[in-house]
Amino acid sequence: MLSGIGPVNHLQQLGIPLVQNLSVGNNLQDHYGTTILFKINASLSITLENSFYQPSTLCQYLQNQSGPLTSQQGIESEGFYFNNYTFPALGYPDSGLAYGSYWPTNGTNLYYVMPYFGHPTSRGTVRLADKNPMTPPLIDPQYLVTNNDLEQSCSTHKFPFFMTNTKALSAIGAEYAQSYTPKCVYPGSVTDNFIVCLNSYYGSSLNHLSGTCKMGPSSDPEAVVDPRLRVHGVKGLRVVDASIMPFLPVANIIQPTIMIGERASDLIKEDYGAPTNPLPQIPISASANYKSLSNTITL
Ligand SMILES: Cc1cc2nc3c(=O)[nH]c(=O)nc-3n(C[C@H](O)[C@H](O)[C@H](O)COP(=O)(O)OP(=O)(O)OC[C@H]3O[C@@H](n4cnc5c(N)ncnc54)[C@H](O)[C@@H]3O)c2cc1C
C-alpha cells in the first residue's frame, strides 16, 4: 500500500499517489481459539519440576537428545475433526485441535487442548496508520464477528470437555482447571456462554494470518493477484506469500505457504522458458471439492 497499490480511498486519505486501485488489506483471515487446561490425578504431565528444574533432564537432553526437553510445547497429538461439518461436499474436517502435556506449573498435573474452527467466515482488514514505513500497520482481525463463526467456535471448544468423559481421560480424573480462568467460572457442564467468556478473555490468534492479497480473476473486486501470482494491472510484480490464499486452509498454513513459494519459482521459470518440475496430478475428487468450497465462500 505504501507503494500506491491498494484501496483508492485509503491511499488518498494518506496522500499516497495511486498506482493501482486493488483490495490490498481486505479479506484478512486467521484461526482463533482458547487454550483449555484440564487437571489430572496422574503424574503424566511435563511440569517445571520434572523438566526444566531437573539437572538430570538437562543432561539427558544434552547427552542423548531425549527426554521431556525434546518435546515441543508438550504437544502429544494434533488432529482434525468434523465439527458441524460446515461444507459437507468437502469431505474433510473443518476443525482442528492439539493435545499437550506441558504447562509451566509446579507439581500440578495438567494437559491442555488448543481447539479452533478451521473455516472462519469473519473477515478483517490491514490498513496503514500513516505514510511512514516504520509505523506498525493497523490490523483489525474481526475475530468471530459472524454468527456462523461464533456458533462453530462454541461447538469446537466444547469438544475437549466432552472428551473428558472418555474411558482414557476419566480414568485419570480429567477435570476443568478453573484456577487458570478466574474471569470465567465453569458452570459444571459446558455451555455456549462459558465458551464465549473463554474466547473473549483468554482466546488468541493461532498466527495464521492470511488472505489480504487474495488470488482470483480480475472480475473479482477483492482479488489482488491472478492465478500466476501477478498483481492485477501492474506489470512485473508478483505476491508470493500467505496473503494470496483466498481462504484459510483448515490446517496450519506454513506448508501451503512453502508450496506457494515453490510454485512461484516454477511460474517465473516458465515465463523465461526454463524447464520446470511437472505439476503433481490432483485427484479429480479433490479439485471438485475445492470448487465446491469456492462456490460456498462466494455465496
Ligand atoms: C509465533 C508464530 C508461530 C507460528 N507457528 C506456526 C506453526 O506451528 N505451524 C504453521 O504452519 N504456521 C505457524 N505460524 C505461521 C507461519 O509462520 C506463517 O503463516 C508463515 O511464516 C507466513 O509466511 P509468509 O512468507 O507469508 O510471511 P513471513 O514468514 O512473515 O515472511 C515475511 C518476510 O518478509 C520480511 N519483510 C517484512 N517487511 C519487509 C520489508 N519491508 N522489506 C523486506 N522484507 C520484509 C520479513 O522479515 C519476513 O522474513 C506461526 C506464526 C507465528 C508468528
Side-chain angles (χ1 to χ4, degrees), residues 15 39 49 53 67 70 88-90 138 156 203 208 212 254 265:
K39 284 189 293 189
E49 269 174 351
Y53 292 174
T70 56
L90 270 179
L138 304 171
T156 305
H208 296 163
T212 48
I254 194 72
S265 68

Side-chain angles (χ1 to χ4, degrees), residues 72 206-209 240-243 252-255 257:
Q72 193 230 8
L206 270 77
N207 298 306
H208 296 163
L209 295 146
V240 182
D241 61 22
S243 71
N252 295 7
I253 66 168
I254 194 72
Q255 296 87 349
T257 307

Side-chain angles (χ1 to χ4, degrees), residues 43-265:
S43 300
L44 296 171
S45 305
I46 303 175
T47 62
L48 288 173
E49 269 174 351
N50 68 18
S51 62
F52 294 100
Y53 292 174
Q54 291 288 342
S56 59
T57 311
L58 186 61
C59 290
Q60 185 184 4
Y61 178 74
L62 291 175
Q63 281 176 350
N64 308 322
Q65 286 77 52
S66 64
L69 293 183
T70 56
S71 171
Q72 193 230 8
Q73 297 171 291
I75 292 180
E76 305 280 354
S77 63
E78 259 190 285
F80 303 96
Y81 63 102
F82 296 92
N83 176 31
N84 275 347
Y85 208 13
T86 326
F87 303 111
L90 270 179
Y92 57 79
D94 59 10
S95 294
L97 49 69
Y99 273 75
S101 59
Y102 170 69
W103 203 260
T105 64
N106 278 328
T108 313
N109 281 287
L110 295 164
Y111 70 89
Y112 69 83
V113 190
M114 239 180 352
Y116 64 90
F117 172 54
H119 287 307
T121 52
S122 303
R123 298 289 182 265
T125 54
V126 177
R127 292 287 181 264
L128 297 174
D130 58 38
K131 288 201 296 193
N132 181 352
M134 302 313 289
T135 308
L138 304 171
I139 301 173
D140 179 4
Q142 295 280 309
Y143 291 125
L144 309 182
V145 292
T146 65
N147 284 339
N148 173 72
D149 292 0
L150 257 184
E151 283 169 22
Q152 300 289 350
S153 182
C154 280
S155 173
T156 305
H157 283 75
K158 284 178 181 174
F159 185 75
F161 287 86
F162 300 146
M163 289 291 282
T164 60
N165 298 323
T166 57
K167 209 170 149 190
L169 290 176
S170 55
I172 52 172
E175 64 172 287
Y176 183 66
Q178 174 62 65
S179 58
Y180 293 87
T181 58
K183 288 195 162 79
C184 305
V185 177
Y186 183 54
S189 63
V190 64
T191 61
D192 284 353
N193 282 346
F194 178 64
I195 299 295
V196 169
C197 183
L198 288 184
N199 274 333
S200 306
Y201 285 107
Y202 303 103
S204 63
S205 163
L206 270 77
N207 298 306
H208 296 163
L209 295 146
S210 54
T212 48
C213 288
K214 172 185 167 181
M215 179 186 281
S218 55
S219 55
D220 178 349
E222 288 279 297
V224 173
V225 298
D226 71 9
R228 294 183 69 81
L229 300 166
R230 296 170 300 202
V231 176
H232 286 299
V234 182
K235 227 176 150 202
L237 183 63
R238 280 187 158 96
V239 178
V240 182
D241 61 22
S243 71
I244 65 101
M245 297 181 195
F247 46 83
L248 261 178
V250 71
N252 295 7
I253 66 168
I254 194 72
Q255 296 87 349
T257 307
I258 292 168
M259 206 176 73
I260 290 163
E262 293 287 340
R263 182 76 187 117
S265 68

Side-chain angles (χ1 to χ4, degrees), residues 267-291:
L267 292 172
I268 293 165
K269 282 198 283 185
E270 271 173 24
D271 285 356
Y272 287 89
T276 57
N277 295 321
L279 271 183
Q281 294 300 306
I282 301 171
I284 289 172
S285 58
S287 36
N289 287 340
Y290 169 82
K291 198 164 172 238

